[in-house]
Amino acid sequence: MPVLANHHALLRGYGRDMWELGWTPESLVQAAQASDRPVRFLLQALDHVTGYREDPLRKKSMLLALCLTQRPEKWLDAGDGRDLAPVVDYHVMRTCLRTGIVTIQDETLLQDLSARRLLRPADEAIVRLACRDAVLRLCAVSGRDLGAIDWTFFSARKRCPETTEPECAACLLNPVCAHQKGLFQPVVRTTFY
Ligand code: SF4
């Protein structure tokens, strides 16, 4: 996101917080891995670090945790998976809305999403929370883990992009999709995702 003032503030905040807490990325991951619940440890630690702590849904810290658990090196043990949560970014929200696993009842919000208008933060938060819950329920009914569902939705962005027409015929989700192609993820200015 080309907002240089944000880059500067986030980088300085991240560096200051890590320095004050006496952490390095390596020491933090090692401490997490040595704990009883490595994912929870890492997420709770990052709740104190600028650049991660601002987002109530912990998108960046959860994505980092998932990456670390899924690397071939297994830098972080996911345990029984109970500490993992969905990584809710704009690709996931767009796919949730277009496939119909999240439906919008409010006519004004529906129009705002379709017209790609800048949303009020409260409206964005409602849509984002609904998408988080929908992904969790999808995991429960499918029996698939979060990593698999997240990858399916994230991969769908290639066939269901932001700036060009969706390619439904080539999309994995086509047989079950509601094809709400006019819908778009919430438009907001945020450093969360
Ligand atoms: S089937 Fe079409 S509308 Fe549905 S997610 Fe795939 S590309 Fe998007």
Side-chain angles (χ1 to χ4, degrees):
M1 185 172 165
V3 183
L4 293 182
N6 277 352
H7 295 195
H8 186 246
L10 289 171
L11 281 169
R12 287 202 56 166
Y14 170 82
R16 184 192 58 234
D17 293 339
M18 291 291 280
W19 181 77
E20 286 180 354
L21 291 162
W23 295 337
T24 65
E26 187 178 21
S27 74
L28 193 50
V29 173
Q30 285 173 348
Q33 184 65 336
S35 70
D36 290 345
R37 288 167 65 178
V39 171
R40 186 178 71 164
F41 184 104
L42 182 70
L43 296 175
Q44 290 181 342
L46 291 174
D47 284 346
H48 299 277
V49 179
T50 297
Y52 292 95
R53 67 181 172 198
E54 298 84 0
D55 181 3
L57 296 193
R58 291 169 157 167
K59 184 260 177 176
K60 282 182 277 182
S61 42
M62 191 59 67
L63 183 59
L64 177 60
L66 274 177
C67 293
L68 293 169
T69 60
Q70 294 186 357
R71 288 277 309 188
E73 299 88 347
K74 298 286 178 200
W75 279 316
L76 207 63
D77 183 0
D80 58 9
R82 67 182 149 155
D83 294 322
L84 295 171
V87 176
V88 190
D89 65 5
Y90 47 81
H91 298 303
V92 168
M93 287 194 280
R94 188 173 65 255
T95 308
C96 283
L97 292 168
R98 289 182 175 175
T99 54
I101 70 165
V102 169
T103 55
I104 304 294
Q105 307 285 322
D106 184 274
E107 202 51 46
T108 305
L109 180 55
L110 198 57
Q111 288 171 8
D112 287 345
L113 289 166
S114 303
R116 307 186 178 196
R117 293 192 188 105
L118 194 63
L119 287 198
R120 293 185 312 132
D123 287 337
E124 179 259 3
I126 287 169
V127 174
R128 198 163 174 238
L129 275 173
C131 293
R132 192 269 315 264
D133 293 348
V135 170
L136 282 174
R137 291 178 69 178
L138 197 54
C139 290
V141 297
S142 68
R144 301 285 180 171
D145 64 30
L146 263 172
I149 299 292
D150 182 69
W151 182 248
T152 302
F153 273 62
F154 187 67
S155 304
R157 80 195 187 285
K158 292 179 186 162
R159 303 293 177 214
C160 205
E162 297 169 278
T163 55
T164 55
E165 190 64 17
E167 299 173 49
C168 297
C171 177
L172 175 73
L173 303 174
N174 194 22
V176 293
C177 182
H179 301 105
Q180 299 286 339
K181 294 190 274 185
L183 290 179
F184 198 68
Q185 71 262 18
V187 176
V188 289
R189 293 186 76 82
T190 180
T191 58
F192 291 3
Y193 50 88

